[in-house]
Amino acid sequence: MADTPDRDQKTEAPTGKRLREAAERGDVIQSKELNTALSMFAGAAWIVLAGPWMVGACSKMLEQGLTFTADDIVNFNAARAILSLLAIVAMPLTTLFVCIAVAAIGTPAMTGSLGFRASAIGFKPNKLNPLNGIQRIFGPQGLIEFGKAFLKVLLLGSIAFVALRSRWAEIMGLGRQDIVAALGDIGHIFRFTVLVMAVALGVLAGIDLPIQIIRRNARLRMTKQEVKDEHKENEGSPEMKGHIKGKQRQLLNASARKAVKEATVILTNPTHFAVALRYRPGFDAAPIVLAKGADETAAAIRELASDVAVPILSYPQLTRAIYFTSRPGEIIREDLYIAVATVLAFVFNLDRAMAEGVSQPTVDVPPEARFDENGKTVH
């Protein structure tokens, strides 16, 4: 009972299955700051690289729009005129859209959440409930998001003010320049401000992204019981069980399988070793080792014994003693008689012992028959 609170605490990292199921539901890492920062960087890069191209295209479009001949008036075609003007700025605008699209795809790609999820866009009736919407807006999470947005605007506004303040003299001198030079300086100031804002947003994204990763992992953390249940579910699927059983049975030849079915009891390490013993009073002079195995063979012996209802008991020290001192078909060593007899007496009265709640007896293995998992004697 004292362990119950620990089982209810979500102390385990989410498993791969838990993460996949969450992603299928649309629960992925989302960072608005990263999305905004990448979009800002894409826009800044476009302004720096394609800004002069766009300004030139707009100038050419304005010039062409204000220039016309008598033939243009006589054979005026509004659609053709509009298309010809839009064609001038089509390529610069296309590059802008491409940059923004790359930034939009880059965000989920960087966070490992890129992909289409039908369940995430499925119809959810609870989203139509205005009360739920009000609770989201004015609830604790909504207020936290509002506070974050306000602080972000305040911070970015301050950074923009400082950036423009550093070029205040240049801004004040624009009125004394001709229009072409003034427009060029305005462009430089604008590019500088956009780059500063993009860097500031990048810093915010660098802070926000780890927070979002930590929050999602914390949200998806599992209890130890949930991890065990998931493992049992995976191991317990019919396909997996069939595959495991098939592999285990291949490890046992026909004689070994027959020996396990004839066994009186299976002693285990409990995982590394397994020994099948038989003792039939009046027929066997002493307990006989019918089969033994280690690791996967031991697992196969346990699995087959479970299928044919042969009792399986965990006696690590005794199991290792028999495993390292006897071969299949031989009787056990004499100094192990008492220990094995104690176990067999319990097995022969197993039904009554279970009904009365009697636990399996402890046995004493002689010091000279004590081995570790590598077969070395332990004193």
Side-chain angles (χ1 to χ4, degrees), residues 27 40 79 131-132 139 145 281 359 375:
D27 186 354
M40 196 72 173
L131 292 178
N132 291 339
E145 293 299 324
S359 59

Side-chain angles (χ1 to χ4, degrees), residues 29-275:
I29 299 172
Q30 295 180 337
S31 175
K32 296 179 181 178
E33 314 304 334
L34 179 61
N35 189 25
T36 305
L38 288 181
S39 299
M40 196 72 173
F41 273 117
W46 180 84
I47 290 173
V48 172
L49 300 176
W53 182 18
M54 184 65 184
V55 171
C58 290
S59 176
K60 184 178 180 181
M61 183 179 68
L62 181 62
E63 180 183 352
Q64 181 174 318
L66 297 176
T67 303
F68 52 90
T69 62
D71 183 66
D72 293 329
I73 297 175
V74 174
N75 301 310
F76 179 71
N77 187 319
R80 184 176 62 188
I82 292 173
L83 290 176
S84 63
L85 293 176
L86 292 177
I88 299 173
V89 296
M91 285 304 296
L93 288 177
T94 300
T95 58
L96 174 61
F97 293 144
V98 170
C99 290
I100 298 300
V102 170
I105 296 174
T107 302
M110 291 178 63
T111 57
S113 56
L114 182 64
F116 176 77
R117 301 170 183 84
S119 59
I121 61 174
F123 177 70
K124 299 178 179 63
N126 63 317
K127 296 291 185 181
L128 301 178
N129 189 340
L131 292 178
N132 291 339
I134 293 173
Q135 289 177 355
R136 283 194 298 270
I137 295 173
F138 297 102
Q141 188 62 32
L143 294 177
I144 291 174
E145 293 299 324
F146 174 78
K148 286 171 55 180
F150 178 78
L151 291 175
K152 182 172 68 174
V153 171
L154 185 62
L155 176 62
L156 294 178
S158 301
I159 293 174
F161 176 78
V162 172
L164 292 175
R165 182 66 177 169
S166 65
R167 309 192 69 166
W168 189 251
E170 187 178 347
I171 295 173
M172 295 302 294
L174 293 175
R176 296 189 296 271
Q177 300 178 2
D178 63 87
I179 185 65
V180 176
L183 287 175
D185 287 343
I186 290 174
H188 290 306
I189 295 171
F190 179 70
R191 285 197 294 271
F192 170 75
T193 306
V194 170
L195 285 173
V196 170
M197 298 288 286
V199 171
L201 285 170
V203 172
L204 289 177
I207 297 173
D208 181 67
L209 182 58
I211 293 175
Q212 296 303 324
I213 294 174
I214 293 172
R215 289 181 61 185
R216 180 174 184 263
N217 287 338
R219 188 169 60 249
L220 297 178
R221 290 187 79 84
M222 307 169 67
T223 64
K224 292 182 179 180
Q225 187 61 42
E226 287 175 333
V227 174
K228 291 180 180 178
D229 292 343
E230 182 178 304
H231 179 71
K232 289 180 180 178
E233 181 181 346
N234 293 336
E235 293 293 330
S237 62
E239 297 81 4
M240 183 63 70
K241 289 182 70 175
H243 175 72
I244 293 175
K245 283 186 177 182
K247 185 176 180 180
Q248 289 176 340
R249 289 173 190 267
Q250 290 175 2
L251 297 173
L252 297 179
N253 55 34
S255 60
R257 289 197 294 270
K258 180 181 178 183
V260 173
K261 293 178 181 179
E262 293 178 355
T264 305
V265 65
I266 305 295
L267 302 182
T268 66
N269 188 48
T271 55
H272 294 297
F273 301 99
V275 175

